[in-house]
Amino acid sequence: MWSRASRIGVAPVFSDCRVLHVTAGRLIRAQRPKKKPELVEIPGLEPITYWDRMHFVPGLAEPKYPAWERDGEDPFRRRGPRYEEMPLYKERPCYTFHQRAKLLEGVKQALWLTKSKLIDGLPQQILSIAEDPAYRIVNQDERVKLAISHARFWSAPEIRPKRDRFCPALIQDLLHLCRIQQPQFPALGNRMLAENYRVSATWERGFQDGYPFPHAHTLYIIDSSVNATLFKPEPLRAKMIMFTFANALARAKILYGEEPKVLDNPITIQCIGTNGRLFQFLVFQLNTTDLLSNDGIKNLIWLDQDQLLYDYAKCLPVIKKKMVQVPAGLSGYSHETFSKFLALYLHGAV
């Protein structure tokens, strides 16, 4: 007795890999393709093949064909030298950390690689700037809300703009708000903004005489990628540690040479990481370049993590069961987060 689905020619789903096809009330079992028998090699016994016949002969074994070598050099199938034969080959491996690299153990692994000690929160001198009303911008909260609205609602024609569009726009607007403090703090005019730079290339060009910006003050890491390449907060914080350490180490080698040592004057570099909504604040102080042993003076890291600038920024409300769960527009703005952003920017010029 066949079901209705079987009579109209719909194949049911089974857990076995074999498929049962139903056609005109008949059940046909699909046959699996026959596997090719494995070659059995007996030591001391040479199999008889059809190599001399130059065509397939039933009952004779299949010969092993030698690798064909072209007389001339084929540019599409060129075989380069082995790694061991290359002139720059080293027995000791070198691991590269780049923009898309993610540390498996996150911050713990970054602390071990940089020989650093983690301190929760920001340094007191930065917190004092963030909490002092004298350093606030006129109509600060209203201007920050306008910057968020510009990035989330007005800078893109889509109803739900992607992170790679609104995240850089938000950072540019927030930095513009910080730059308007230059008349009050003239030392801010001695800084510049470099985008998409590499540490090695930047410091090689900054090894020239008279370069006006030899030292990185604050790194802004924008995680605007989507899907698989998106960094979660923990790998993003590890990435911030690695890049601030790289910048500080490059500067230390310029000032104190290549020999590992305890620095006479520590080098401090700040970093802000964000995905357009969640902010991570970090201050790295390089005290030593001697990273071989775990003993002695260590580098210091101040980390203030998972600071929300706002909760939601929706063009359309989120409605579930005829109830508005999240209203349209900007909601949940936190002025403390931008105060810390501004304090890191003003640090060193106040």
Side-chain angles (χ1 to χ4, degrees):
M1 191 70 180
W2 297 105
S3 63
R4 178 179 177 84
S6 301
R7 288 199 302 270
I8 62 177
V10 179
V13 179
F14 296 88
S15 60
D16 195 358
C17 61
R18 292 171 293 182
V19 180
L20 299 179
H21 298 279
V22 179
T23 305
R26 293 183 302 167
L27 184 64
I28 301 175
R29 186 180 300 275
Q31 299 293 333
R32 291 182 177 178
K34 296 182 179 179
K35 293 184 179 180
K36 199 172 185 180
E38 298 181 358
L39 295 177
V40 179
E41 295 185 1
I42 302 177
L45 183 63
E46 183 180 358
I48 302 177
T49 66
Y50 52 84
W51 174 260
D52 297 334
R53 304 287 185 91
M54 302 184 65
H55 62 85
F56 174 75
V57 177
L60 297 183
E62 182 180 0
K64 294 183 178 180
Y65 305 100
W68 178 74
E69 296 183 0
R70 189 184 183 99
D71 295 338
E73 185 178 3
D74 188 357
F76 297 100
R77 294 176 175 85
R78 181 180 301 169
R79 294 183 178 180
R82 296 185 301 176
Y83 291 118
E84 295 80 4
E85 299 175 355
M86 293 184 178
L88 298 180
Y89 175 77
K90 305 293 183 181
E91 292 291 339
R92 186 178 180 184
C94 177
Y95 302 96
T96 303
F97 187 86
H98 51 80
Q99 286 286 348
R100 295 185 178 181
K102 296 181 179 180
L103 295 180
L104 183 62
E105 296 296 333
V107 174
K108 292 183 179 179
Q109 186 174 358
L111 293 176
W112 183 83
L113 290 173
T114 59
K115 192 181 177 181
S116 303
K117 177 183 178 182
L118 183 64
I119 301 176
D120 190 18
L122 292 175
Q124 185 59 38
Q125 57 267 31
I126 297 180
L127 292 178
S128 60
I129 298 175
E131 297 170 356
D132 194 343
Y135 301 121
R136 292 176 62 90
I137 302 174
V138 180
N139 299 327
Q140 175 174 302
D141 295 340
E142 288 74 12
R143 291 186 176 185
V144 176
K145 291 180 181 179
L146 288 176
I148 299 174
S149 300
H150 170 260
R152 296 301 303 264
F153 305 137
W154 308 330
S155 63
E158 299 91 353
I159 296 180
R160 300 181 65 180
K162 295 183 178 179
R163 184 176 283 105
D164 58 352
R165 180 183 292 268
F166 73 80
C167 191
L170 177 61
I171 289 296
Q172 291 288 350
D173 292 344
L174 296 182
L175 288 176
H176 174 71
L177 289 179
C178 296
R179 282 193 291 266
I180 64 177
Q181 295 289 84
Q182 182 175 343
Q184 185 178 356
F185 307 103
L188 296 177
N190 299 329
R191 301 177 184 174
M192 65 164 290
L193 178 64
E195 299 184 25
N196 300 326
Y197 80 98
R198 293 187 178 183
V199 176
S200 59
T202 300
W203 294 120
E204 287 179 0
R205 184 176 64 174
F207 298 165
Q208 300 177 4
D209 295 337
Y211 185 67
F213 308 103
H215 179 61
H217 181 269
T218 304
L219 305 180
Y220 298 91
I221 297 180
I222 303 174
D223 185 20
S224 58
S225 56
V226 293
N227 299 332
T229 57
L230 178 65
F231 275 74
K232 294 183 178 180
E234 181 70 11
L236 179 60
R237 290 189 287 266
K239 179 180 178 180
M240 294 167 60
I241 295 175
M242 295 299 294
F243 276 96
T244 51
F245 171 75
N247 281 269
L249 184 61
R251 181 59 179 169
K253 290 184 177 181
I254 297 175
L255 298 177
Y256 302 101
E258 297 288 339
E259 184 180 357
K261 59 181 299 186
V262 177
L263 304 184
D264 299 333
N265 295 318
I267 297 177
T268 303
I269 294 182
Q270 305 173 161
C271 185
I272 298 177
T274 180
N275 60 357
R277 178 170 169 264
L278 196 65
F279 282 73
Q280 317 286 339
F281 302 104
L282 183 142
V283 178
F284 188 95
Q285 179 175 306
L286 184 67
N287 298 320
T288 177
T289 58
D290 184 8
L291 308 177
L292 296 180
S293 63
N294 294 327
D295 302 329
I297 297 178
K298 291 183 173 57
N299 303 313
L300 297 180
I301 295 176
W302 289 267
L303 180 61
D304 193 1
Q305 52 189 340
D306 297 339
Q307 299 296 314
L308 280 173
L309 183 61
Y310 56 90
D311 289 336
Y312 300 100
K314 300 290 185 180
C315 295
L316 299 176
V318 178
I319 302 176
K320 294 182 180 179
K321 297 182 179 180
K322 298 182 181 181
M323 297 291 293
V324 177
Q325 303 293 332
V326 180
L330 178 64
S331 60
Y333 166 71
S334 176
H335 68 276
E336 293 87 357
T337 302
F338 180 75
S339 297
K340 296 176 181 178
F341 186 96
L342 179 61
L344 287 172
Y345 187 86
L346 297 180
H347 184 220
V350 175

